[in-house]
Amino acid sequence: MRSTLFILFLCLVVTPTMAQKIETPDELYGDLFVDVQMSHIFPDSKTFVDCIPKRDPKAIVTDYKKIKNNPAIRFSLKLFVEENFIVPQVPQTDFVTKGKDIVQHINNLWVALRRRSDTLKNRGSLLPLPKEYIIPGGRFREIYYWDSYFTLLGLRESKQYDLIEHMIQNFAYLINTYGHMPNGNRTYYLSRSQPPFFSLMVDLLAGIKGKNVYATYLPALEKEYAYWMDKTAPTQHVVKMPDGSVLNRYWDQLSKPRQESYAEDVTVAKTVAEKDRAALYKNFRSGAESGWDFSSRWMKDGKNLNTLQTTNLIPVDLNCLLYHLEQTLANTYQQKENKIKAAQLQKAAQHRKEAINHYCWSKEQGFYVDYAIAEKKQSPHLTLAGMFPFFMQLANASHMDVAKKIITEKFLQSGGVVTTLITTGQQWDAPNGWAPLQWITVVGLENYHQAELAKIIASRWIFLNKRVFDVTGKLLEKYDVVDANKPGGGGEYPSQDGFGWTNGVLLALISKYQ
């Protein structure tokens, strides 16, 4: 019995630190990694970190140093990489089915975007998963955390119930193995997570299979919560507010350039003083944890990447998601008749709800906003993150009367709702609209009896998706909701084709509004 208890204890202690022992591409390849990324031999910085080594990485690095420094050898970095690595195929961009029904097109896409369970053979930076899963598409050759919830909405409409369960089992596996759900199943994503939608995924599965699902996933839900509350990892997600209440922020564990965007981060960092670069790198990484990479929302001046201050902000959407997680845990403990834990989590959820309404509701702007920690004041930026309190039904009912006016007068466009009110050239700003935020806004409005406005937004988004599909035969990652004749753009890479969460939300909205 003592031996068994010790093994269980060891698992609890060791599991969360496993992520720290896995070497990422920059650690494995050193100078070779830097040289490849800074020389731009691949147009996309993500390509090299997704490469699979053909032999022992240490041997590759040793040979690289010898050849690079040998004046007698005519050296080609690109050729060296091609000889020593399996380079990922060019992302598929031909998911084209002109003239076919858009719903049938999406059902065909589930097959194209489906990946079987991974084997344990060397797959480079990929973290193997035990079950099949759906990837977003394009350059995104792995699962992503918050993307997947919106993909699941579509899989539910397609009655792909086994696949839904397999994907949630994968998330539970990652949480139980690494102590948290990484940004995606790549080694270079292990230092951070993404918006915590796991409890909503469990809700979705419970709607299919029944309430026993909650008990099944309770261990993973507990570990998810422990991670965000700084119990199991060297993060600083938790922030004590001036009145003693507790809220959370995004916080990547590292302060160096993102491996998958190394050249981009280094280039921007050169515009600030050397002493400020580590903080900027952490804000880049924490912005990636938010899923909104990048947006004027995170910029101190509202315009430039070198003023990112992600870690200085209390994000309203993150705290709404953690409110849902606390409620889910409380309800699950109640089911298991653990009244003490149920009461503790219900109390934590209630305190968080009160704190969100205190710190994030702006009477002046008539909308929910983020809160700046250092300055002890609310952010001036209006974004669709302000709809999360309505989506999670923790907003005061009286706030909707003002918020619906803001949505109608400022966010509503011909193609749906726009992400922010500022145009910066970043992808999470105007004029772009994103599928997950359309869903959050529509459901949030419906929750507060604004069915007419919700239907207008949904109809405009569906029409825009169909219009682009009719012209191009594609469903895209993001859209220009202001001018339907222009594609969504901005950011570090071109708009991607596929696309997981666009497919999921579109199917769900078509079903909802017939």
Side-chain angles (χ1 to χ4, degrees):
M1 177 63 74
R2 287 183 178 179
S3 297
T4 303
L5 289 173
F6 177 74
I7 290 170
L8 288 171
F9 172 76
L10 202 60
C11 288
L12 288 172
V13 173
V14 173
T15 297
T17 62
M18 284 184 64
Q20 300 167 16
K21 298 178 181 178
I22 297 174
E23 289 187 290
T24 52
D26 58 324
E27 295 168 332
L28 280 171
Y29 303 114
D31 290 343
L32 173 59
F33 169 84
V34 174
D35 292 346
V36 170
Q37 296 293 57
M38 296 307 295
S39 66
H40 301 285
I41 64 172
F42 298 114
D44 187 345
S45 291
K46 192 174 181 298
T47 302
F48 183 60
V49 293
D50 291 354
C51 285
I52 301 172
K54 294 180 179 179
R55 55 196 179 103
D56 181 15
K58 291 181 179 178
I60 293 175
V61 171
T62 299
D63 288 349
Y64 175 67
K65 291 178 179 178
K66 289 179 181 177
I67 296 172
K68 178 185 178 183
N69 297 322
N70 189 338
I73 297 177
R74 189 174 181 180
F75 180 70
S76 166
L77 180 58
K78 190 173 189 297
L79 182 61
F80 180 86
V81 171
E82 291 172 350
E83 288 177 344
N84 287 280
F85 294 88
I86 300 172
V87 179
Q89 296 180 347
V90 175
Q92 186 174 352
T93 57
D94 58 351
F95 299 121
V96 178
T97 52
K98 288 185 179 180
K100 291 189 178 181
D101 177 72
I102 197 168
V103 173
Q104 184 57 50
H105 175 67
I106 293 174
N107 286 323
N108 292 338
L109 279 175
W110 294 144
V111 178
L113 298 173
R114 197 172 189 148
R115 297 294 179 268
R116 295 181 178 180
S117 58
D118 302 309
T119 64
L120 293 177
K121 68 180 181 181
N122 186 354
R123 295 295 303 277
S125 61
L126 192 71
L127 299 172
L129 295 174
K131 302 287 186 177
E132 61 185 343
Y133 53 95
I134 296 288
I135 62 169
R139 72 197 287 266
F140 302 111
R141 296 173 274 262
E142 53 285 308
I143 61 164
Y144 284 79
Y145 187 2
W146 78 307
D147 292 56
S148 295
Y149 172 71
F150 300 96
T151 299
L152 294 179
L153 295 175
L155 291 174
R156 180 174 61 184
E157 297 303 326
S158 299
K159 296 181 171 54
Q160 298 270 359
Y161 301 138
D162 287 344
L163 183 52
I164 288 172
E165 186 167 19
H166 290 163
M167 287 183 66
I168 294 172
Q169 287 172 343
N170 282 331
F171 286 114
Y173 164 79
L174 288 168
I175 292 169
N176 288 324
T177 301
Y178 302 106
H180 69 287
M181 176 56 214
N183 187 151
N185 62 318
R186 292 280 180 183
T187 60
Y188 52 81
Y189 286 148
L190 280 169
S191 63
R192 62 178 178 267
S193 186
Q194 261 196 335
F197 271 85
F198 184 64
S199 58
L200 281 88
M201 295 180 190
V202 176
D203 266 359
L204 189 150
L205 186 60
I208 297 168
K209 296 196 67 176
K211 291 185 178 181
N212 290 338
V213 163
Y214 292 106
T216 300
Y217 291 98
L218 179 57
L221 289 165
E222 289 174 326
K223 286 188 178 180
E224 167 90 325
Y225 188 57
Y227 174 76
W228 284 99
M229 299 309 290
D230 297 341
K231 304 291 186 184
T232 58
T235 63
Q236 296 180 37
H237 286 124
V238 175
V239 179
K240 193 169 185 179
M241 304 304 287
D243 65 355
S245 59
V246 170
L247 289 173
N248 291 67
R249 62 179 166 184
Y250 291 111
W251 185 280
D252 188 291
Q253 296 175 36
L254 301 177
S255 299
K256 61 181 180 179
R258 292 169 294 156
Q259 293 91 335
E260 75 282 8
S261 301
Y262 184 86
E264 291 83 351
D265 288 2
V266 169
T267 299
V268 175
K270 289 179 179 178
T271 65
V272 303
E274 189 170 352
K275 65 180 177 63
D276 297 326
R277 291 176 187 174
L280 180 58
Y281 290 142
K282 183 172 288 292
N283 280 302
F284 268 120
R285 289 174 160 274
S286 301
E289 184 171 68
S290 78
W292 292 46
D293 42 340
F294 290 103
S295 168
S296 57
R297 176 186 182 189
W298 309 125
M299 302 171 193
K300 194 160 190 174
D301 68 357
K303 297 181 292 184
N304 297 298
L305 278 174
N306 61 7
T307 68
L308 283 177
Q309 56 162 357
T310 319
T311 59
N312 184 44
L313 295 172
I314 297 293
V316 60
D317 46 356
L318 170 61
N319 284 281
C320 290
L321 290 166
L322 291 174
Y323 167 78
H324 184 274
L325 176 54
E326 287 166 339
Q327 279 200 317
T328 302
L329 283 168
N331 293 337
T332 306
Y333 289 133
Q334 192 68 45
Q335 285 180 21
K336 294 176 71 68
E337 298 185 353
N338 189 334
K339 295 182 179 180
I340 294 176
K341 279 194 171 182
Q344 289 173 344
L345 269 296
Q346 193 60 54
K347 186 177 181 180
Q350 180 61 31
H351 286 169
R352 187 181 297 274
K353 175 181 176 179
E354 292 168 359
I356 291 170
N357 279 297
H358 176 69
Y359 287 102
C360 297
W361 172 253
S362 172
K363 292 181 181 178
E364 180 183 350
Q365 302 191 78
F367 211 62
Y368 284 94
V369 296
D370 301 326
Y371 182 85
I373 300 166
E375 294 78 7
K376 297 183 179 180
K377 66 179 183 180
Q378 294 174 331
S379 168
H381 301 308
L382 294 180
T383 78
L384 283 183
M387 285 303 296
F388 271 77
F390 301 104
F391 178 69
M392 292 301 183
Q393 301 186 69
L394 59 84
N396 295 332
S398 60
H399 293 165
M400 175 52 78
D401 293 334
V402 188
K404 72 176 181 181
K405 186 176 181 182
I406 297 295
I407 291 293
T408 304
E409 296 180 355
K410 297 188 176 183
F411 286 96
L412 183 61
Q413 303 292 332
S414 62
V417 280
V418 69
T419 307
T420 73
L421 307 180
I422 301 175
T423 301
T424 61
Q426 296 302 320
Q427 62 177 351
W428 287 87
D429 277 322
N432 286 344
W434 293 77
L437 298 179
Q438 310 300 313
W439 180 260
I440 297 296
T441 302
V442 166
V443 174
L445 288 167
E446 285 190 334
N447 287 342
Y448 287 77
H449 313 294
Q450 302 299 322
E452 183 179 354
L453 179 55
K455 187 173 183 179
I456 289 172
I457 294 169
S459 300
R460 292 186 183 187
W461 178 255
I462 293 169
F463 182 80
L464 173 61
N465 282 203
K466 285 186 173 183
R467 178 177 177 179
V468 173
F469 175 74
D470 289 341
V471 173
T472 67
K474 297 182 179 184
L475 286 168
L476 304 175
E477 177 191 22
K478 52 186 176 276
Y479 293 83
D480 186 325
V481 296
V482 178
D483 185 347
N485 295 312
K486 295 180 180 179
E492 299 173 335
Y493 58 86
S495 184
Q496 300 296 297
D497 180 22
F499 192 86
W501 63 15
T502 300
N503 307 339
V505 168
L506 183 57
L507 274 187
L509 289 176
I510 288 174
S511 175
K512 179 184 283 288
Y513 294 102
Q514 299 299 308

